Amino acid sequence: MTDLVIDSLDCVYIPFDISHSNPAAYCSVLTRRNRLQYAFDTANSIFRHFGGMRNRLMDLYEQGNGAEWKPGVSDIGYDRFNLTIGPWGTQDQAWWESSRVLFATMTLVVSDTMTILIKGESWPPDDIEQVVFCRMDGVYYRPQQNFLSFFKITHLPRGDANGDQVINIADVMYMMNYLFRHGTPPVTFEAGDVNCDNDHGILDVVYLINYLYKNGNSPGCP
Ligand SMILES: [Ca+2]
Ligand SMILES: [Ca+2]
């Protein structure tokens, strides 16, 4: 049973540090998909359903609640950015601390392999430079499961499912093996999502074959 006080979310603040494998590389947070005014652009929102997972905030919005959630990406620099999200309406604050649902999907543009570190070393937070999840009764908490402290992002073109920097028949075989023989997933989600519909399926294989052998469109988003 849901307790709206305990299972609530009053604010989220997550500071990130970025380190690059190549000092000359760049990283930018893709503004169009992460800024406040696009919060409920259902295809591009930071709250979009992604990779077969439901986003809790998009679910709320689709049920007629949640329009007052305010996401923002601030203090964007070469080696850092902050993600802040705050709900302004009571219904919008309903959350489930132990639920394994998607919270937000960040979109970044990278030119190399980079590591993003969530700055959450000390707990509870004593200043704004650390992760803050706050309930509507003012209690801080940390998400219970799978709270990553860092993750790597590697740039791969869509279609390069096996990650060898070439798009060819080997990627078709790799995707077939993954989809139908319980093989290894694509090296990055985007590399396997050839047709850019936020999912992996036979349509991605068809798209790749059309591109490689039938003068079809290049992999990627329109
Ligand atoms: Ca490849
Ligand atoms: Ca796809």
Side-chain angles (χ1 to χ4, degrees):
M1 191 169 156
T2 300
D3 181 326
L4 282 181
V5 174
I6 294 175
D7 298 325
S8 62
L9 199 55
D10 190 53
C11 75
V12 176
Y13 176 91
I14 307 179
F16 296 90
D17 269 347
I18 301 168
S19 63
H20 293 273
S21 58
N22 172 5
Y26 68 88
C27 160
S28 61
V29 178
L30 195 57
T31 303
R32 184 171 60 85
R33 295 192 175 187
N34 294 302
R35 289 287 194 194
L36 184 151
Q37 63 265 41
Y38 294 98
F40 291 104
D41 167 348
T42 54
N44 295 318
S45 168
I46 191 172
F47 296 143
R48 62 192 180 274
H49 305 306
F50 187 77
M53 292 183 68
R54 305 292 298 178
N55 181 287
R56 175 63 190 148
L57 303 185
M58 184 58 77
D59 272 342
L60 280 174
Y61 175 69
E62 289 170 351
Q63 292 160 13
N65 294 307
E68 295 160 289
W69 281 85
K70 308 290 184 192
V73 178
S74 62
D75 195 26
I76 301 168
Y78 173 80
D79 58 357
R80 68 179 186 281
F81 63 91
N82 302 321
L83 170 65
T84 55
I85 298 176
W88 290 10
T90 303
Q91 265 306 104
D92 305 333
Q93 295 173 329
W95 189 256
W96 289 263
E97 288 184 45
S98 60
S99 293
R100 305 185 74 165
V101 294
L102 199 57
F103 174 62
T105 300
M106 299 292 299
T107 302
L108 302 108
V109 181
V110 299
S111 65
D112 68 334
T113 296
M114 65 186 200
T115 301
I116 297 183
L117 173 71
I118 297 175
K119 295 165 71 174
E121 301 87 357
S122 84
W123 193 262
D126 54 12
D127 66 48
I128 200 67
E129 283 303 308
Q130 284 143 7
V131 179
V132 175
F133 276 62
C134 183
R135 297 195 321 214
M136 58 196 285
D137 59 356
V139 173
Y140 291 131
Y141 73 95
R142 185 192 280 273
Q144 291 180 345
Q145 295 156 338
N146 301 325
F147 192 68
L148 296 176
S149 57
F150 71 95
F151 45 97
K152 271 191 175 174
I153 297 180
T154 300
H155 170 73
L156 287 177
R158 287 182 191 271
D160 184 15
N162 65 358
D164 66 354
Q165 306 289 337
V166 186
I167 301 173
N168 58 21
I169 185 67
D171 296 301
V172 174
M173 303 304 293
Y174 191 99
M175 285 298 289
M176 294 288 285
N177 198 41
Y178 161 60
L179 290 170
F180 303 111
R181 294 180 203 107
H182 306 290
T184 311
V187 174
T188 68
F189 181 88
E190 286 75 13
D193 180 19
V194 188
N195 66 353
C196 203
D197 67 353
N198 279 337
D199 206 356
H200 291 147
I202 186 65
L203 291 179
D204 296 304
V205 178
V206 172
Y207 196 111
L208 255 189
I209 292 172
N210 280 336
Y211 165 66
L212 290 169
Y213 302 109
K214 297 176 184 170
N215 287 325
N217 292 330
S218 304
C221 300

